[in-house]
Amino acid sequence: MDNQSPPSQPIIIARNVDKRFGSFYALRGVSASFSEGQVTAIVGPSGSGKSTFLRTLNRLEAHDGGEIIIDGIVLSDDLQHLDAIRREVGMVFQSFNLFSHLTILRNVALAPIRVRKMSRADAEAKALALLDRVGLKNQAHKYPVQLSGGQQQRVAIARALAMDPKVLLFDEPTSALDPEMVNEVLTVMRELAHTGITMLVVTHEMGFAREVADRVIFFDEGVILEDTTPQAFFTNPDHERAQAFLSQVRHGF
Amino acid sequence: MMNWTKQYPGWTMFGAMLGLLFFLWGLAIPLSAAPAPIGPAAEQFAEGARVTVWLTLIAGSVGVVLGIVAGMGKLSKFLPLRWICDFYVWLIRGTPLLLQIMFVWLALPTIMPEGIELSDFACAAIALSLNIGAYNTECVRAGILAVPHGQVEAAKALGLTPFQTFMDVILPQSLRVALPALANNLASLVKDSSLAYAISVVELTMAGYRVQAESYQPIPVFLTIAAIYLILTTAFTTLTAALEARLDVGQKR
Ligand SMILES: Nc1ncnc2c1ncn2[C@@H]1O[C@H](COP(=O)(O)OP(=O)(O)OP(=O)(O)O)[C@@H](O)[C@H]1O
Ligand SMILES: [Mg+2]
């Protein structure tokens, strides 16, 4: 019997999750749970399965083994479950993926109109408020190509927030940006981290992980090698692979 | 295309449509002022032009729908559907249009249920629709393939259903890519509709042929027909160029 009281119930539970591509295991028996409001930085070398793990959580990739439960809903092929989960879980991509044929305002308002069945006027008012929050209200009528990378990524964050998700997944949100634009996006994310939304952030920004995250998970070859506090991870990681990774990061790639 | 179609696409579209209508209603008036053999036959020319435009508009519209449906079908995961669509395109593109028109005219009535009479015009419209539909299929398919995968993932992650993803993201973006080729097909259709003469539909070419046969003056008659065709194709091209400009927003150049 599960006797945990609702508030301490994790919002995401992954148990023994496997993911194969052909015969190659991208994830091998990954288990982790995340409580509401927690900000987790996911780090690790290239190809270690960080993106794959994130993408199994909103079923952009279907897992092959184990179990994923989000806000009490089991993630499976059941379309109703999938709909419910995708409403709860937003995602921000490395390459922004804004809808190129829609204005910034329509980009943000689209999902509330279609998925939440909001009226167009309400959805656009909400979109404007969110754009204001990421500092882009005055760009609402432009198209994505007319914005800089940093601005596009802030719109992408507003677009994800428009669905009022409980969980936000970020897959290297600053990796495609010119260095001078990284900070404007990190600033928005830093503010978000204090709002109580659950965040899972795959990132190479170790500064951000150290300052903002409550928890760091280190992936290597499809398994979680370290799952600890930023303090412990950055000062004294348990595994040699993590130490090697950190020294590599410190000395630049 | 001319610059102002890009600057004022909405107005140009409206103007081209209006121009087409005026041209159709009013064609007989200026023509009747022309000397014989054109003047006396003005009403025949006007009627022929109307039939040509109707054939083009009907087959053009049905052809776009067919192109979208079969273009999707060619990319379907459902194998039999893909075979059907492949077969359709293969069959239509591998046989002459004239043969297709004759076939529909001769074969369709025999397989139609009792009591349904197909006019010659309907047969021509059906054959032309099937024909342009097959050519549109390839354009739409290429357009769908050109939509970056990230756009679809973003829509999924926001919780849009597959149908919404198609209607709101994939279709508009792929049509934007496919439109120049679709417009090309439409311009060909204006001229290809002349083959309907073979099943005694009195469209523009057939009208001219009759006038010429009565007056024994082929040169002025055919010059008049050529001029009318040129005006029609120009109107259709302007219309589609304006549509292209409208859909072009947010596109990288
Ligand atoms: N669609 C796919 N088909 C086949 N193999 C894949 C696919 N996606 C990922 N992989 C493989 O799975 C492994 C994990 O990939 P993943 O993208 O999760 O790594 P990552 O930790 O996010 O790396 P990076 O830091 O480079 O983004 C890699 O070896 C990758 O080649
Ligand atoms: Mg990755």
Side-chain angles (χ1 to χ4, degrees):
Chain A
M1 270 305 285
D2 196 321
N3 283 327
Q4 279 179 315
S5 56
S8 61
Q9 175 89 12
I11 187 155
I12 300 175
I13 303 170
R15 283 194 202 109
N16 267 318
V17 173
D18 288 328
K19 172 66 196 175
R20 284 193 311 269
F21 292 108
S23 61
F24 171 79
Y25 273 82
L27 296 177
R28 280 180 293 174
V30 172
S31 297
S33 12
F34 302 86
S35 49
E36 220 166 334
Q38 198 172 40
V39 178
T40 306
I42 299 175
V43 301
S46 184
S48 57
K50 306 180 299 288
S51 299
T52 306
F53 178 62
L54 223 55
R55 291 160 57 85
T56 56
L57 296 181
N58 64 349
R59 215 173 180 71
L60 288 183
E61 306 282 3
H63 56 288
D64 299 305
E67 189 178 37
I68 297 174
I69 302 168
I70 294 180
D71 206 14
I73 310 165
V74 177
L75 191 49
S76 67
D77 278 330
D78 186 318
L79 286 179
Q80 266 173 347
H81 287 191
L82 186 59
D83 277 353
I85 284 172
R86 288 207 171 133
R87 284 167 197 226
E88 309 268 311
V89 181
M91 189 167 206
V92 175
F93 301 85
Q94 180 174 353
S95 47
F96 330 132
N97 297 351
L98 293 181
F99 302 126
S100 55
H101 63 299
L102 298 178
T103 61
I104 300 307
L105 187 67
R106 289 290 284 167
N107 260 279
V108 181
L110 180 67
I113 293 173
R114 291 290 186 262
V115 183
R116 296 251 187 247
K117 309 291 175 206
M118 243 188 216
S119 76
R120 187 171 170 156
D122 288 351
E124 292 192 343
K126 177 172 193 176
L128 270 181
L130 283 166
L131 286 171
D132 195 23
R133 196 162 140 197
V134 298
L136 290 170
K137 195 176 182 180
N138 53 352
Q139 313 284 331
H141 295 286
K142 290 194 178 164
Y143 285 88
V145 280
Q146 296 169 291
L147 267 53
S148 74
Q151 290 174 323
Q152 287 191 51
Q153 194 60 301
R154 281 145 65 197
V155 173
I157 293 173
R159 179 176 70 174
L161 288 175
M163 286 295 290
D164 295 318
K166 291 188 179 161
V167 178
L168 256 188
L169 310 173
F170 294 83
D171 192 359
E172 301 197 28
T174 57
S175 296
L177 299 177
D178 293 334
E180 70 271 20
M181 292 170 188
V182 169
N183 267 327
E184 62 188 72
V185 173
L186 290 183
T187 305
V188 169
M189 289 171 61
R190 209 172 275 128
E191 278 163 17
L192 267 181
H194 299 304
T195 61
I197 193 166
T198 311
M199 290 167 63
L200 273 68
V201 187
V202 173
T203 185
H204 290 300
E205 296 290 332
M206 293 303 147
F208 178 81
R210 187 198 291 259
E211 277 171 55
V212 183
D214 308 313
R215 174 181 178 190
V216 174
I217 287 181
F218 176 75
F219 266 84
D220 192 48
E221 296 186 342
V223 299
I224 294 181
L225 266 195
E226 307 247 351
D227 183 351
T228 180
T229 61
Q231 166 73 10
F233 181 75
F234 286 106
T235 53
N236 189 21
D238 289 336
H239 294 78
E240 222 166 276
R241 297 282 299 172
Q243 286 163 13
F245 173 76
L246 278 175
S247 72
Q248 212 175 23
V249 172
R250 287 209 183 95
H251 297 106
F253 285 91
Chain B
M1 201 53 210
M2 289 140 286
N3 237 341
W4 43 264
T5 55
K6 285 224 153 33
Q7 258 160 14
Y8 307 104
W11 286 111
T12 317
M13 241 149 82
F14 184 69
M17 217 38 194
L18 216 62
L20 199 61
L21 279 178
F22 269 129
F23 179 75
L24 284 179
W25 288 121
L27 181 62
I29 299 164
L31 279 187
S32 59
I38 310 300
E43 199 40 65
Q44 274 169 281
F45 283 110
E47 183 55 35
R50 274 196 282 273
V51 172
T52 291
V53 168
W54 272 122
L55 272 181
T56 307
L57 284 178
I58 293 172
S61 318
V62 177
V64 167
V65 175
L66 271 177
I68 291 172
V69 171
M72 280 165 66
K74 278 195 87 154
L75 295 170
S76 163
K77 288 194 192 89
F78 185 56
L79 212 56
L81 185 61
R82 218 157 69 207
W83 285 336
I84 292 171
C85 296
D86 282 341
F87 176 76
Y88 162 58
V89 173
W90 172 77
L91 182 72
I92 298 286
R93 295 212 304 182
T95 54
L97 174 56
L98 185 56
L99 194 71
Q100 292 160 17
I101 292 175
M102 305 278 260
F103 184 83
V104 167
W105 188 57
L106 293 170
L108 212 51
T110 67
I111 57 168
M112 278 312 247
E114 252 348 275
I116 296 185
E117 285 273 328
L118 278 181
S119 66
D120 298 341
F121 178 87
C123 288
I126 291 171
L128 286 168
S129 301
L130 287 172
N131 183 268
I132 190 178
Y135 287 90
N136 287 350
T137 298
E138 286 304 302
C139 312
V140 172
R141 192 186 79 100
I144 292 177
L145 287 177
V147 177
H149 194 57
Q151 299 279 311
V152 179
E153 288 197 333
K156 272 191 195 173
L158 284 167
L160 269 66
T161 62
F163 180 71
Q164 289 170 337
T165 303
F166 185 79
M167 294 307 284
D168 284 320
V169 179
I170 300 176
L171 191 60
Q173 292 199 17
S174 52
L175 284 187
R176 190 169 70 179
V177 174
L179 203 67
L182 293 177
N184 221 349
N185 291 349
L186 188 71
S188 306
L189 181 63
V190 179
K191 297 165 284 169
D192 289 347
S193 67
S194 67
L195 285 176
Y197 87 93
I199 57 172
S200 61
V201 173
V202 189
E203 42 64 67
L204 186 52
T205 304
M206 181 61 151
Y209 186 79
R210 284 189 175 169
V211 175
Q212 173 274 141
E214 286 154 16
S215 65
Y216 301 105
Q217 284 180 288
I219 292 173
V221 172
F222 286 134
L223 282 179
T224 308
I225 294 179
I228 298 175
Y229 269 117
L230 279 171
I231 292 169
L232 291 181
T233 46
T234 307
F236 276 110
T237 324
T238 311
L239 200 66
T240 48
L243 190 64
E244 239 170 88
R246 266 203 80 102
L247 286 178
D248 204 28
V249 289
Q251 183 85 298
K252 258 195 187 101
R253 274 164 223 281

